[in-house]
Amino acid sequence: MISIGSMEAIGRRVALVLCALGLLTITAQAQTDPLPSWNDGAAKQAIMAFVKETTTPGSPTFVREPERIATFDQDGTLWVEKPMYSQVIYCLDRVPAVVKAKPELANVEPFKTVMSGDREAVAKLTTHDLEKILFATLTGMTVDVFSEEAEKWIPAAKDTRWKRPYTELTYQPMQEVLSYLRANGFKTYIVTGGGQDFVRVYSQRVYGIPPEQVVGTAAGTTYSYDADGKPILTKDPKLLLNDNDAGKPEGIHLMIGRRPYAAFGNSTGDQQMLEYTGAGDGLRLKMLVLHDDAEREYAYGPAQGLPDTKVGTFTQALYDEAKRDGWTVISMKNDWKTIFPAAH
Amino acid sequence: MISIGSMEAIGRRVALVLCALGLLTITAQAQTDPLPSWNDGAAKQAIMAFVKETTTPGSPTFVREPERIATFDQDGTLWVEKPMYSQVIYCLDRVPAVVKAKPELANVEPFKTVMSGDREAVAKLTTHDLEKILFATLTGMTVDVFSEEAEKWIPAAKDTRWKRPYTELTYQPMQEVLSYLRANGFKTYIVTGGGQDFVRVYSQRVYGIPPEQVVGTAAGTTYSYDADGKPILTKDPKLLLNDNDAGKPEGIHLMIGRRPYAAFGNSTGDQQMLEYTGAGDGLRLKMLVLHDDAEREYAYGPAQGLPDTKVGTFTQALYDEAKRDGWTVISMKNDWKTIFPAAH
């Protein structure tokens, strides 16, 4: 047994040593660049200044730790969204299984076109056609069966340009921002137009973000019992939350209940999330990734002088709003030293 | 400057001291009862055994820390729900302000009855009448204005029997369970039929549960801009999630995306949450608070041989399901030494 007296002595020594270590840690942090994949410039400076000013005690814009919420769009902000959202590719890949289960769909559009394997025809499917495919492939099964199917597909599917799984085509500079914010007490959330259940399957492994910190487009579920009387949750073909545009701040309020202090996006679908973030008191960080690097990734959208491509549109109007309201535009080409993490 | 050599020496000393402290902490924990307001009995033993078996490395039912999710109903499980849910009292208290803003409601039922101050007539309002009052008092304003109003009301409003604010009428034994689970790496969530935005106003202060860990009945919101062009979120009179009955597991899937390992309730409104929890693999804790203490709190519901009281009904069928499926019924009278925290 250790006496109370010696416990107190240990306590004092630990306190002293921890103080010393604390100082060492602060020194070490000042010397290590938390964002090594970022070139020096306005974007990197904005992130560093934001973290310093919101987390340094005594700063006029200090934010208490529980309030430190940062939200990130996924497609085009954390990983590649071209030539198609990876979840859409998942849905197209699932069509044969759906048609096998319901053979009557083989001669019904848009399933017929997808089954034909004609890539050009598939690329021309309308939004309405795609919605039919999404509902047919993402709903009607239990949430457990859905997760199992997605978990099988994700590591196997590869991007055609880089020949790497989609989950490896995340942006290394953004991974560093996620880690840097978390190391400074921020809770990082994905707020995606993509399917909430789909992204939750890999968010922890790919971004270090647990499922409960993924807000996405969500279908409702229905609770019932299977033939053995076991409770099940079945995914309904009924949209509960369309987590795009105004749906992003609405989803943030529903799922988090706090206004973010930092928000990252790359398209008009993120505009309202950034506006809502910026409308809060104190210092708020609003950032947009501009895809202006045709060589290392892609260049697209009107803000690049290129036609509107529907997917992840960074319009000129969004660019102008960013400039007017003090949002920071991240140039992939100029701000990022590297785009992707090193291959495993 | 401290040399690398002395840093290493400090590191070794800290490691040793922390080890010693770790042992002391373990010893101290073994000696300190984490549930001092619980009488020894099956309920207390079930909680202690569950925590031990899910958190001891090497246990066959060990649960990794990120998976440790525990969900708690609020009304009747964490605090008093009689004679009326406190949120309903809030809504009734808000009626004069609503009528002042819209004088035409003064002669319209059910507002007319509420304005009359006739308590007996108010007690007889139908569910449909109450819904009208809830929508009129909980929606139509911005989420910020709603929070401000609720924050003003909560500390001022008092229960008529105990003359204490509602927020002090939490169950001390359940507060201990919340703390005990959190100390063992569980994330504690409120999953309530009450309004999500309402409960979020006080959940941190009253239960140590942050707003993002409150799942409740939720109206949608609409994003727009005020006259100055500032983004606002307005509460819609449109139900998005009815977080009762089957809505509880559905809400848990939507908002958390993981199946709980422990769930606590007190009525048929919690039945599906407990079933869903129990249907998972491994060890799951399912507990129901039975209000059988007319002297210190209340005794109600068919499981007590008393008439169905609508509010928080613990039916005989629920009692039978609990016994059949290995859920644990907590007797307020026999399992709890004290009911409420000591007055401040």
Side-chain angles (χ1 to χ4, degrees):
Chain A
M1 283 303 290
I2 299 180
S3 71
I4 295 295
S6 65
M7 269 186 67
E8 282 174 1
I10 290 171
R12 279 194 300 274
R13 262 162 72 188
V14 168
L16 278 170
V17 172
L18 290 181
C19 274
L21 277 182
L23 290 172
L24 287 172
T25 310
I26 290 164
T27 314
Q29 275 179 349
Q31 289 165 349
T32 310
D33 184 353
L35 302 174
S37 299
W38 290 71
N39 288 315
D40 286 328
K44 181 172 182 172
Q45 281 164 19
I47 301 166
M48 304 283 290
F50 168 78
V51 169
K52 189 179 170 198
E53 288 169 33
T54 54
T55 64
T56 305
S59 158
T61 50
F62 178 76
V63 177
R64 291 186 325 115
E65 192 158 332
E67 306 275 342
R68 292 181 199 160
I69 302 286
T71 56
F72 293 80
D73 169 57
Q74 183 188 224
D75 295 299
T77 300
L78 293 178
W79 75 359
V80 174
E81 64 181 349
K82 292 283 186 182
M84 222 180 245
Y85 298 133
S86 56
Q87 187 175 359
V88 174
I89 301 169
Y90 170 77
C91 293
L92 294 172
D93 282 359
R94 290 288 311 156
V95 166
V98 168
V99 169
K100 197 176 169 192
K102 292 186 186 170
E104 67 275 18
L105 292 179
N107 292 310
V108 177
E109 290 297 357
F111 304 97
K112 193 177 168 183
T113 296
V114 177
M115 293 301 286
S116 75
D118 178 346
R119 287 192 179 194
E120 277 184 39
V122 170
K124 283 181 192 150
L125 290 175
T126 64
T127 305
H128 185 64
D129 286 335
L130 285 176
E131 273 173 14
K132 277 188 193 166
I133 293 167
L134 298 192
F135 277 124
T137 53
L138 299 176
T139 68
M141 70 291 284
T142 68
V143 298
D144 293 337
V145 165
F146 171 80
S147 293
E148 283 162 25
E149 285 168 357
E151 263 163 25
K152 268 185 269 172
W153 181 85
I154 285 160
K158 287 188 178 175
D159 177 87
T160 50
R161 177 169 163 192
W162 287 281
K163 324 283 186 216
R164 293 175 70 176
Y166 299 107
T167 49
E168 291 184 14
L169 297 177
T170 65
Y171 304 133
Q172 176 61 22
M174 294 304 288
Q175 292 276 15
E176 291 169 5
V177 173
L178 288 170
S179 298
Y180 180 46
L181 287 172
R182 287 197 290 261
N184 283 281
F186 282 84
K187 237 176 173 171
T188 54
Y189 282 80
I190 290 174
V191 177
T192 175
Q196 184 168 276
D197 284 347
F198 186 76
V199 179
R200 280 175 170 175
V201 168
Y202 56 80
S203 61
Q204 178 67 50
R205 187 166 47 82
V206 174
Y207 303 111
I209 293 178
E212 63 269 27
Q213 285 166 226
V214 174
V215 179
T217 296
T221 57
T222 296
Y223 180 88
S224 65
Y225 306 91
D226 69 11
D228 300 325
K230 194 180 160 178
I232 48 172
L233 279 177
T234 305
K235 285 168 71 72
D236 293 335
K238 200 191 80 187
L239 197 61
L240 201 64
L241 176 63
N242 178 359
D243 200 45
N244 285 294
D245 310 310
K248 289 209 176 191
E250 291 162 6
I252 288 169
H253 179 72
L254 176 70
M255 308 276 291
I256 312 176
R258 302 188 199 255
R259 191 193 300 261
Y261 273 85
F264 296 76
N266 79 304
S267 81
T268 51
D270 306 310
Q271 176 194 337
Q272 291 84 348
M273 175 169 75
L274 269 67
E275 289 173 347
Y276 181 63
T277 300
D281 296 334
L283 189 61
R284 311 270 169 166
L285 184 66
K286 296 85 59 184
M287 301 196 87
L288 286 170
V289 175
L290 178 67
H291 293 261
D292 58 357
D293 194 331
E295 198 182 318
R296 296 187 300 170
E297 204 240 15
Y298 293 102
Y300 51 90
Q304 270 294 292
L306 297 167
D308 185 335
T309 56
K310 303 297 180 206
V311 170
T313 297
F314 197 140
T315 59
Q316 190 59 44
L318 183 66
Y319 193 87
D320 295 343
E321 181 172 358
K323 291 290 159 194
R324 189 190 69 216
D325 291 346
W327 306 356
T328 305
V329 174
I330 300 165
S331 158
M332 290 188 90
K333 192 171 177 179
N334 301 319
D335 286 314
W336 290 359
K337 282 186 193 162
T338 52
I339 306 289
F340 302 120
H344 302 306
Chain B
M1 282 301 288
I2 300 180
S3 73
I4 297 293
S6 65
M7 267 183 68
E8 282 173 1
I10 289 171
R12 279 194 300 274
R13 263 164 70 190
V14 168
L16 278 171
V17 171
L18 290 181
C19 273
L21 277 183
L23 289 173
L24 287 173
T25 310
I26 290 165
T27 315
Q29 274 179 350
Q31 291 166 347
T32 309
D33 183 352
L35 303 175
S37 300
W38 291 72
N39 287 315
D40 286 329
K44 180 172 181 172
Q45 280 164 21
I47 301 166
M48 303 282 290
F50 168 79
V51 169
K52 189 180 170 198
E53 289 169 32
T54 54
T55 63
T56 305
S59 158
T61 50
F62 178 76
V63 178
R64 290 186 325 113
E65 192 158 331
E67 306 274 344
R68 293 181 199 160
I69 302 285
T71 56
F72 292 81
D73 168 58
Q74 183 186 225
D75 295 298
T77 299
L78 293 179
W79 75 357
V80 174
E81 64 182 349
K82 292 282 187 182
M84 226 180 240
Y85 298 133
S86 56
Q87 187 176 358
V88 173
I89 300 169
Y90 170 76
C91 293
L92 294 172
D93 282 358
R94 290 289 311 157
V95 166
V98 168
V99 170
K100 196 177 170 191
K102 293 185 187 172
E104 66 275 19
L105 292 178
N107 293 312
V108 177
E109 289 299 350
F111 304 97
K112 193 176 167 184
T113 295
V114 177
M115 293 300 286
S116 76
D118 178 345
R119 289 189 177 194
E120 277 183 40
V122 170
K124 283 182 193 149
L125 290 174
T126 65
T127 305
H128 184 65
D129 286 335
L130 284 176
E131 273 173 12
K132 278 189 194 166
I133 292 166
L134 297 193
F135 276 124
T137 53
L138 299 176
T139 69
M141 70 290 285
T142 68
V143 298
D144 293 336
V145 165
F146 171 79
S147 293
E148 283 161 25
E149 285 169 357
E151 263 163 25
K152 267 185 268 172
W153 182 84
I154 286 160
K158 287 188 179 176
D159 176 88
T160 49
R161 177 169 161 192
W162 287 282
K163 325 283 185 217
R164 293 175 69 176
Y166 299 107
T167 49
E168 291 184 15
L169 297 177
T170 65
Y171 303 134
Q172 176 61 22
M174 295 304 290
Q175 291 276 16
E176 292 169 4
V177 173
L178 288 169
S179 298
Y180 180 45
L181 287 172
R182 288 197 291 260
N184 283 281
F186 281 84
K187 237 176 173 173
T188 53
Y189 282 80
I190 291 174
V191 178
T192 174
Q196 183 169 275
D197 284 346
F198 186 75
V199 179
R200 281 175 169 174
V201 168
Y202 56 81
S203 61
Q204 179 67 51
R205 188 166 48 81
V206 174
Y207 303 112
I209 294 178
E212 61 269 29
Q213 286 168 224
V214 173
V215 179
T217 296
T221 56
T222 296
Y223 179 87
S224 66
Y225 306 91
D226 69 11
D228 301 324
K230 194 180 161 179
I232 49 172
L233 280 176
T234 306
K235 286 168 73 68
D236 292 335
K238 199 191 82 186
L239 198 61
L240 200 65
L241 175 64
N242 179 359
D243 201 45
N244 286 294
D245 310 312
K248 290 209 174 192
E250 292 162 6
I252 288 169
H253 179 72
L254 176 70
M255 307 275 293
I256 312 177
R258 304 188 197 254
R259 191 192 299 263
Y261 273 85
F264 296 77
N266 79 304
S267 80
T268 51
D270 306 309
Q271 176 194 339
Q272 291 85 347
M273 175 168 77
L274 268 68
E275 289 172 349
Y276 181 65
T277 300
D281 296 335
L283 189 62
R284 310 269 168 167
L285 183 65
K286 296 84 60 184
M287 301 196 87
L288 286 170
V289 175
L290 178 66
H291 293 260
D292 60 356
D293 195 333
E295 199 183 317
R296 294 189 300 171
E297 203 240 15
Y298 294 101
Y300 52 91
Q304 270 295 294
L306 297 168
D308 184 334
T309 55
K310 304 296 179 205
V311 171
T313 296
F314 198 142
T315 60
Q316 189 60 42
L318 183 66
Y319 192 87
D320 295 343
E321 181 172 357
K323 290 292 158 192
R324 189 190 69 217
D325 292 344
W327 306 355
T328 305
V329 174
I330 299 164
S331 159
M332 290 187 89
K333 191 172 176 176
N334 301 319
D335 286 314
W336 290 358
K337 281 185 196 164
T338 52
I339 307 290
F340 302 119
H344 301 307

